């Protein structure tokens, strides 16, 4: 290759190389202000998880300080063979599935009602959101003392008002511990589901709905053939997001039943293993398992959310 040809190639590649460098420099200049926030997030969230992951492979119980050492996967084996851990997994699944399904059904019904025009609709919508804004511990205390209490609770007071002094006065938490937690959680999470589904309802193409109604389609046909298919992605997103938060619920279990009467879920099992049993290795292993399960659900939720945004474009 002659020197003239090499010079021409350098002349052609020079502007392109400079343009790429300027483009890379511009991208780094736009990302640089976000770097401190990224570093802070990594330090605050990822480093503790890495430490917990390391501890999960250790035999570390403060009651036996001389036995500390590397345990391999024994902590994970102990969790999967522990009866209490398996019961906690079952309770977590039942609690999460029940709360999400009931909240979705109630949220869908309320969203359909609030999607219709009526006087004071904005005020009613605002009031329907308020249960979700209550602090979880305060909501659990409200249900435990103001509603479920057998002596001065509102539920037994209503029974006395309706049936008189001889009305039954059941101990709601003792008789139905898991159902008591589920009802309290459904009360708090129904507004969250309602908000997402109401947003989905308001994004429907109303001209198509009106055309179907003019053609003679009934309300049930419009709901089953048009509204539900349109809401499918929103229902999936609401269910997945609700599952992410409900699966790690600790406040209601701790406040209402204290983990007793067969209501201990995985977060409470971790608390009990860590603070009461002082077994840091096993508690960290249980936490890692819970995080992995939550990440799987979160990835599905993120995929569903991205698909909704792509459809809206």
């Amino acid at each position: 290759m002659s020197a003239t040809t090499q010079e021409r190639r350098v002349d052609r590649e020079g502007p392109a190389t400079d343009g790429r460098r300027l483009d890379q420099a511009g991208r780094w200049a736009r990302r640089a202000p976000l770097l401190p926030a990224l570093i802070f997030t990594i330090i605050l969230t990822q480093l503790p998880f890495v430490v917990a992951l390391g501890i999960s492979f250790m035999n570390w119980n403060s009651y036996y300080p001389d036995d500390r050492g590397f345990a391999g996967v024994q902590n994970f084996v102990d969790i999967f063979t522990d009866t209490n851990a398996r019961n906690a997994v079952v309770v977590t699944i039942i609690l999460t599935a029940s709360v999400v399904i009931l909240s979705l059904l109630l949220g869908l019904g309320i969203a359909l009602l609030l999607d219709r025009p009526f006087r004071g609709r904005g005020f009613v919508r605002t009031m329907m959101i308020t249960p979700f804004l209550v602090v979880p511990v305060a909501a659990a205390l409200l249900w435990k003392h103001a509603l479920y209490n057998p002596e001065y609770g509102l539920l037994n007071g209503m029974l006395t008002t309706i049936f008189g002094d001889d009305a039954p006065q059941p101990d709601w938490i003792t008789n139905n511990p898991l159902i008591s937690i589920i009802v309290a959680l459904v009360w708090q999470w129904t507004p969250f589901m309602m908000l997402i589904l109401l947003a989905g309802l308001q994004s429907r193409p109303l001209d198509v709905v009106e055309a179907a109604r003019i053609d003679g389609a009934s309300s049930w046909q419009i709901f089953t053939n048009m509204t539900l298919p349109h809401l499918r992605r929103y229902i999936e997103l609401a269910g997945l997001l609700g599952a992410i938060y409900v699966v790690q619920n600790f406040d209601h279990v701790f406040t209402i039943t204290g983990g007793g009467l067969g209501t201990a879920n995985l977060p409470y099992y971790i608390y009990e293993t860590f603070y009461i049993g002082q077994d840091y290795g096993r508690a960290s292993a249980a936490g890692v398992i819970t995080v992995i399960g939550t990440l799987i659900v979160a990835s599905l939720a993120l995929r569903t959310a991205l698909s909704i945004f792509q459809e809206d474009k």
Side-chain angles (χ1 to χ4, degrees), residues 199-227:
L201 284 173
Q202 294 186 338
S203 66
R204 288 180 303 169
L206 296 180
D207 53 344
V208 178
V209 175
E210 290 298 328
R213 186 172 286 111
I214 293 173
D215 290 339
S218 63
S219 300
W220 178 252
Q221 290 174 331
I222 293 174
F223 175 73
T224 55
N225 297 316
M226 300 180 66
T227 303

Side-chain angles (χ1 to χ4, degrees), residues 15-39:
T17 304
D18 293 341
R20 285 195 297 270
R21 289 176 179 173
L22 289 174
D23 187 45
Q24 292 177 356
R27 287 199 298 267
W28 275 109
R30 291 191 297 269
R31 296 171 181 172
L34 301 176
L35 191 59
L38 177 62
I39 295 174

Side-chain angles (χ1 to χ4, degrees), residues 143-172:
W143 278 88
K144 181 178 182 179
H145 295 290
L147 296 173
Y148 288 145
N149 192 281
E151 297 180 0
Y152 53 82
L154 179 62
L155 296 180
N156 284 352
M158 291 176 61
L159 291 176
T160 303
T161 302
I162 296 173
F163 299 105
D165 295 335
D166 296 331
Q169 300 290 291
D171 191 339
W172 300 93

Side-chain angles (χ1 to χ4, degrees), residues 56 73-87 89 266 269-270 273 281-289:
S56 66
V73 296
Q74 187 60 42
N75 288 322
F76 295 92
V77 174
D78 292 341
I79 289 174
F80 286 111
T81 56
D82 185 9
T83 303
N84 293 328
R86 289 200 301 268
N87 293 336
V89 172
L266 269 176
Y269 173 81
I270 296 172
T273 305
R282 184 179 295 187
S284 298
V288 169
I289 294 173

